[in-house]
Amino acid sequence: MCTTVSKKKPAPHFIRNMITADVNAGKNQGQVVTRFPPEPNGYLHIGHAKSICLNFQIAGEFDGRCHLRFDDTNPEKEDTEYTDSIQEDVRWLGFDWGEHLHHAADYFDTLYNYACQLIKDSKAYICELTPEQMREYRGTLKAPGKNSPYRERPIEDSLDIFTRMKAGEFEDGTYVLRAKIDMSSPNINMRDPIIYRIRHAEHHRTGNDWCIYPTYDYTHCISDALEGITHSLCTLEFEDHRPLYDWVLNNIDIDCHPQQIEFSRLALNFTVTSKRKLNQLVQEDFVDSWNDPRMPTVSGMRRRGYPATAIRDFCNRIGITKKYNNISLGLLETCVREAIDPEARRVMAVLKPLKVVITNYPEGESEQLDCPYHPDKDIDLGSRSVPFGRELYIEQDDFMENAPSKFFRLSEGREVRLRYAYYITCNEVIKNDAGEVIELRCTYDPETKGGWAKDGRKVKGTLHWVSAADALDVEVRVYDRLFKVPHPDADKEVSFLEHLNPDSLQICDNAKLEPSLASAKIDERYQFERLGYFCLDTDSSTDKPVFNRTVSLRDSWAKIEKELG
RNA sequence: UGGGGUAUAGCCAAGCGGUAAGGCAGCGGGUUUUGAUCUCGCCAUGCGCAGGUUCGAAUCCUGCUACCCCAGCCA
């Protein structure tokens, strides 16, 4: 079932416990069948990933199966653009629905027939109250509703109108089919809910075959039952709908009755996980697209360089409960770092170059240094050769005038190591007319080749560098969190857009890379030493490669720097 | 007394009458040619609050409090 998922036994949670108990008790002949039921009206995000992992993994654990079913009962919002992206994303996350790709739309005939039977059984009726009247009759949260004047419409009349609704005789909104339950129920969902409405709209799958469409509450439970789902897992807001889910299945002739179990949806701080809000970010150009690397969408995370293994690990680490949670973005980033670290080749790249001239290095000469791709002796990723010459680039941040003692990097008169190369000492600082440091004059110690001093003297700092003559010119996009505050949508008075982080994308268009990166490929992940993990972006062209920063390295210097003020 | 839910550390989360797992974050030490990684140690006399039952309560009982969801012909 879940081919790329490890068999490592996951931590117990209440749903796994319930299902285990059902299996042990022989319920459903010991079968476990789940489903992931997205509405194809947007792209999948990290919250969906939680549900996907839960459903596919739990089915896999019990040798069951998990269906992918599109809950496509609202033609006006749905599109094949979304059914395509959803399938791609679920597959990329590492899951396989096998033969079980389903659409609620494929059940429209069956659903219609069941509705006719409900009418014949006097359990549903055609109502012609306007939406405004409907609201009045529904009552309020604290006051009961009252019966529709059409509630006792003769069965034959309802059947006749329903048939003509289907035939397209009426305008949108003129009639609806309602389940006859209880207008005084304290649960508003049970106050004669609408189960069919007229929509003269083209459906992405059934075209113009239908002009009446069933509602979610009526469709979902029957779709589950038709597919033999045993456990229907959904989020907390559907808890109030469970009595209706059960009512429908108890009042039609069907021999399967899945159990709906609710769990809390994922909330991730510094981000929003609402399709509506994500859609707004795209439509109003606050981000480039659904797969903008700053988006918490599956496609955005994929482009950013997050491995699927990291997302699965994250989903397993956050747990499944009914508690309202707020997961820290830091945990996701930790999962990403842990997944990438052992497999990422280390290379050197300078994002904001500062020129360094080694004054005692012979002009016109250069040499090749052999540098391992991974520092851990237990991880053999091979090595590459890196050119070294008289002119180099180092990171602007690695030089400071009047540096405090805790600053271990380069400053005038100080000696540092260039990784895998030599010790250098800064002798002279050259500035432009604006007083900005534009070049450093340094000397190197030829006796420290490889980065070791024979006399045993130590340096505190090791810097990454790139040979100027051999550097690749590239664009690097450094991403940061999309929002400035932990809870961008907490305040209903203030738009979440007010909290967008203006620095969520920083473009380094003059970055310098060591030449080995010329053969970089999409889907490969690299660590730019001391900077973070990066990957080639799909915007790259042969003459202008573009790299994304997937995630930074943990940075304890940043913390010290902050404390120093 | 509308209905339905949820409360265990800064953030997650186990626990199901026998004396508070684990992860993230944080703090301190060690290793280190990435201020990375790795590694060792510390981190709830306390489980929303108040009573009660019990030899023993996060777990059982009673009463409170706080927060979330529901009045779409959305899902």
Side-chain angles (χ1 to χ4, degrees):
Chain A
M1 182 93 274
C2 315
T3 48
T4 62
V5 176
S6 88
K7 291 292 176 197
K8 202 179 106 185
K9 196 160 191 171
H13 53 65
F14 81 103
I15 293 180
R16 181 173 280 114
N17 294 157
M18 287 171 82
I19 293 180
T20 302
D22 286 347
V23 169
N24 291 341
K27 194 175 169 185
N28 307 307
Q29 291 79 237
Q31 284 290 296
V32 175
V33 185
T34 58
R35 100 270 93 111
F36 172 62
E39 181 187 15
N41 67 345
Y43 282 67
L44 260 26
H45 57 64
I46 185 72
H48 295 111
K50 173 180 179 179
S51 176
I52 291 166
C53 289
L54 203 219
N55 278 290
F56 278 93
Q57 288 180 168
I58 204 96
E61 283 164 35
F62 291 95
D63 293 316
R65 59 178 201 268
C66 180
H67 300 184
L68 174 60
R69 182 175 69 237
F70 291 111
D71 233 332
D72 50 359
T73 56
N74 188 352
E76 288 163 342
K77 292 185 175 179
E78 297 151 7
D79 196 276
T80 51
E81 174 190 357
Y82 304 120
T83 54
D84 291 347
S85 72
I86 288 169
Q87 291 179 68
E88 182 185 6
D89 289 347
V90 174
R91 228 179 263 123
W92 178 76
L93 280 170
F95 300 106
D96 180 10
W97 52 87
E99 301 299 300
H100 293 282
L101 174 64
H102 302 293
H103 295 75
D106 294 345
Y107 309 133
F108 281 171
D109 280 313
T110 309
L111 260 1
Y112 177 80
N113 292 333
Y114 276 127
C116 291
Q117 191 58 50
L118 281 173
I119 296 171
K120 288 174 191 162
D121 293 342
S122 196
K123 288 172 178 166
Y125 61 98
I126 296 292
C127 185
E128 55 192 272
L129 250 26
T130 64
E132 297 70 40
Q133 293 172 319
M134 192 85 77
R135 203 175 308 124
E136 281 171 35
Y137 276 78
R138 188 156 36 226
T140 68
L141 293 178
K142 295 186 179 181
K146 57 186 179 187
N147 287 169
S148 161
Y150 306 101
R151 200 171 201 259
E152 298 309 327
R153 186 194 291 275
I155 289 171
E156 289 312 314
D157 287 5
S158 281
L159 219 41
D160 176 58
I161 298 171
F162 192 45
T163 308
R164 290 160 58 199
M165 278 166 65
K166 178 173 183 276
E169 288 189 28
F170 310 115
E171 299 288 300
D172 285 10
T174 47
Y175 294 100
V176 292
L177 181 66
R178 294 226 257 167
K180 192 187 288 183
I181 308 180
D182 179 6
M183 289 306 292
S184 65
S185 171
N187 180 346
I188 287 185
N189 296 119
M190 299 298 270
R191 317 238 262 232
D192 290 11
I194 290 169
I195 61 177
Y196 262 94
R197 72 287 212 198
I198 302 172
R199 275 290 131 82
H200 289 274
E202 183 168 322
H203 188 279
H204 72 95
R205 189 163 176 85
T206 58
N208 293 302
D209 291 353
W210 295 84
C211 62
I212 57 171
Y213 291 93
T215 56
Y216 164 84
D217 284 308
Y218 175 70
T219 308
H220 198 87
C221 52
I222 298 178
S223 303
D224 279 347
L226 255 17
E227 293 178 18
I229 302 298
T230 58
H231 302 270
S232 181
L233 314 181
C234 63
T235 43
L236 251 29
E237 65 270 27
F238 293 105
E239 224 155 10
D240 284 345
H241 295 243
R242 185 165 9 110
L244 180 50
Y245 184 106
D246 291 330
W247 183 92
V248 172
L249 294 181
N250 287 149
N251 285 280
I252 63 172
D253 181 24
I254 198 162
D255 58 5
C256 177
H257 194 134
Q259 180 184 5
Q260 175 177 304
I261 307 172
E262 310 84 11
F263 61 96
S264 53
R265 67 188 322 146
L266 168 68
L268 238 200
N269 63 21
F270 292 101
T271 113
V272 295
T273 43
S274 132
K275 274 192 204 170
R276 207 205 94 238
K277 293 194 176 84
L278 294 177
N279 190 38
Q280 194 178 348
L281 291 173
V282 176
Q283 298 310 325
E284 298 176 18
D285 294 325
F286 291 105
V287 296
D288 295 333
S289 56
W290 280 100
N291 71 344
D292 185 299
R294 292 167 291 182
M295 291 283 272
T297 49
V298 173
S299 54
M301 295 188 290
R302 175 168 62 232
R303 182 169 165 196
R304 172 93 171 241
Y306 286 15
T309 50
I311 295 171
R312 276 188 252 123
D313 182 35
F314 172 74
C315 291
N316 285 131
R317 289 219 235 179
I318 58 178
I320 300 290
T321 66
K322 299 186 72 147
K323 229 166 72 178
Y324 301 93
N325 57 70
N326 189 178
I327 311 291
S328 92
L329 227 206
L331 178 61
L332 213 208
E333 294 183 337
T334 291
C335 292
V336 171
R337 291 190 189 100
E338 286 183 11
I340 298 178
D341 176 75
E343 64 177 34
R345 292 197 292 211
R346 271 59 172 170
V347 293
M348 291 195 283
V350 174
L351 267 31
K352 294 178 191 161
L354 172 60
K355 192 172 177 184
V356 168
V357 177
I358 311 292
T359 54
N360 60 338
Y361 195 87
E363 275 193 66
E365 287 193 18
S366 69
E367 61 190 299
Q368 296 288 327
L369 303 168
D370 187 56
C371 307
Y373 271 127
H374 201 290
D376 191 327
K377 305 111 206 110
D378 298 327
I379 300 175
D380 185 10
L381 262 32
S383 67
R384 82 288 188 190
S385 102
V386 179
F388 182 88
R390 191 165 192 272
E391 295 194 354
L392 313 168
Y393 294 114
I394 65 166
E395 208 69 60
Q396 285 173 16
D397 288 348
D398 284 338
F399 175 80
M400 188 187 274
E401 292 187 282
N402 312 120
S405 61
K406 282 185 177 176
F407 185 79
F408 299 158
R409 288 113 95 143
L410 200 55
S411 191
E412 195 163 4
R414 288 197 193 174
E415 184 174 49
V416 297
R417 170 167 44 228
L418 292 182
R419 178 145 238 228
Y420 300 130
Y422 297 95
Y423 282 15
I424 62 166
T425 302
C426 177
N427 310 112
E428 189 185 351
V429 179
I430 297 175
K431 298 180 181 178
N432 61 12
D433 294 341
E436 298 161 340
V437 178
I438 53 164
E439 185 180 314
L440 265 22
R441 298 259 158 173
C442 302
T443 50
Y444 85 120
D445 178 353
E447 298 303 306
T448 57
K449 184 166 181 176
W452 295 108
K454 293 191 177 73
D455 62 10
R457 76 180 189 279
K458 296 275 203 302
V459 287
K460 280 281 196 77
T462 299
L463 310 187
H464 59 277
W465 53 275
V466 171
S467 163
D470 306 276
L472 261 35
D473 289 303
V474 305
E475 174 180 323
V476 174
R477 297 174 182 168
V478 177
Y479 296 105
D480 197 358
R481 48 189 54 157
L482 230 199
F483 294 94
K484 294 176 292 190
V485 300
H487 310 291
D489 50 8
D491 189 342
K492 288 170 182 60
E493 306 301 313
V494 181
S495 166
F496 72 109
L497 297 170
E498 299 293 311
H499 302 301
L500 279 164
N501 175 9
D503 303 317
S504 61
L505 168 58
Q506 187 192 342
I507 296 175
C508 300
D509 52 14
N510 188 32
K512 307 290 185 182
L513 266 54
E514 64 166 75
S516 75
L517 261 324
S519 59
K521 293 178 197 64
I522 301 258
D523 293 337
E524 282 184 0
R525 297 181 181 84
Y526 304 88
Q527 184 193 99
F528 289 0
E529 296 229 27
R530 304 206 304 133
L531 296 174
Y533 297 100
F534 294 77
C535 66
L536 198 61
D537 187 75
T538 46
D539 277 353
S540 295
S541 62
T542 40
D543 50 320
K544 189 72 175 181
V546 175
F547 283 83
N548 295 323
R549 185 177 75 182
T550 302
V551 65
S552 67
L553 255 31
R554 287 182 66 194
D555 186 358
S556 56
W557 163 246
K559 215 177 309 178
I560 297 167
E561 201 175 23
K562 206 173 176 180
E563 285 166 8
L564 292 173

